[in-house]
Structure formats: C-alpha cells, structure tokens
Amino acid sequence: MNDEYYMREAIAQAQEASDRGEVPVGAVIVNSKGNIISRAGNSPISLLDPSAHAEILAIRQAATILGNYRLLDCSLYVTLEPCTMCAGAISAARLKRVVYGATDIKGGALESGVRFFETKFCNHKPLIQSGILAHDSSIILKKFFQIRRKKKKI
C-alpha cells in the first residue's frame, strides 16, 4: 500500500459526502501496520455540528477504536488541506503524519494561511506530505461547487 492507495480511500469518502450534499472532503486514518482504522467524510450539515469535519470524525473514530486519544503511530490522509480547527485536533491526537491532496488557499492551516504547526503554541508537529492526488481531490470539490452555483441560479 502507498500514499495514493490511502488517498483514493479518502477520495471515496469525499464522494460519499458529496452525494449527501456535504462539502466533499474525506479522510482515513491508517495505523503503523498499514491498516485503515477509520474513515469519514464531512458531515456538519447532516450532524448539525460545525466541528464535524472529515478529519475530526476520523480522529474520534480512531481514538475510540484504539481506546486511546493519542494516535501516536497513525497517519491521516485527507483530500483537502486541514483548517485551523482540524490542525489543533491533529496536534492534540499526536498523529505521526498528515498527507493531504488539494491545497486550501483560503482555509488551509498547514502550509497555507496560519501554518498552525509552525507556531510556538503548537506542542506537536506531525510530518506533512502534500499534493498526493491533488488534482483528483480538487476536481471533486470544483464539480460540487459548480453544481451548487447552478442550483442557486435556478
């Protein structure tokens, strides 16, 4: 298994979120043995929870499955660069690695925007790999918002 394999799994979660009318962002968490231990897609609308980003939901699931709020030897794969809220959760969970697809110029907080892990207030800094299947990740987002804009015009 490689980064592209896991990112394709995250993209499948993003597509499921899109099918539910949620912004298409998907995430999976993989343990040190290469097993996917949690999967999630964005769900703030359906859960009526502004914190129900794919990353947060995947972290919660993984912590429950592992019986530990620290995900020390785990990697997060997410289709879009995480926001500041998610970066905080990633740090608190002590994820070893974050791999993301598309860059989020407006809301991203890892390599765009506030660069959360570079602040002096951040107590855990995971390894970051960006751009894995970035085109595929961004296409699903672009299509989603194109359809949404067309519906508003009608």
Side-chain angles (χ1 to χ4, degrees):
M1 312 281 180
N2 61 24
D3 288 343
E4 286 190 11
Y5 172 83
Y6 298 118
M7 189 59 72
R8 288 193 194 291
E9 293 293 320
I11 290 170
Q13 293 299 306
Q15 184 59 57
E16 287 181 24
S18 180
D19 294 345
R20 293 189 317 270
E22 302 276 1
V23 174
V25 177
V28 298
I29 294 183
V30 178
N31 67 14
S32 61
K33 295 178 183 176
N35 299 316
I36 295 175
I37 57 173
S38 66
R39 304 167 191 268
N42 264 5
S43 298
I45 297 167
S46 59
L47 294 178
L48 302 173
D49 179 356
S51 71
H53 290 195
E55 302 94 309
I56 300 291
L57 296 174
I59 288 169
R60 288 176 183 162
Q61 289 172 19
T64 299
I65 289 166
L66 296 176
N68 192 340
Y69 72 103
R70 298 279 168 93
L71 307 176
L72 299 172
D73 291 321
C74 296
S75 297
L76 169 70
Y77 289 81
V78 61
T79 57
L80 183 65
E81 180 181 2
C83 69
T84 306
M85 174 184 69
C86 293
I90 289 164
S91 181
R94 305 293 195 272
L95 282 155
K96 182 176 185 176
R97 186 167 176 242
V98 176
V99 180
Y100 71 87
T103 299
D104 185 353
I105 300 299
K106 292 181 182 178
L110 305 193
E111 296 179 312
S112 304
V114 299
R115 295 180 175 242
F116 181 81
F117 298 129
E118 294 177 18
T119 67
K120 66 181 180 179
F121 307 106
C122 180
N123 59 356
H124 172 76
K125 301 170 185 181
L127 300 171
I128 299 171
Q129 175 70 47
S130 61
I132 304 299
L133 297 179
H135 178 73
D136 296 11
S137 296
S138 65
I139 288 296
I140 193 171
L141 284 159
K142 287 177 184 175
K143 286 181 181 178
F144 176 83
F145 286 111
Q146 285 173 349
I147 291 167
R148 185 174 267 187
R149 282 191 293 275
K150 285 180 185 177
K151 286 182 180 179
K152 284 186 178 181
K153 290 181 181 179
I154 296 176

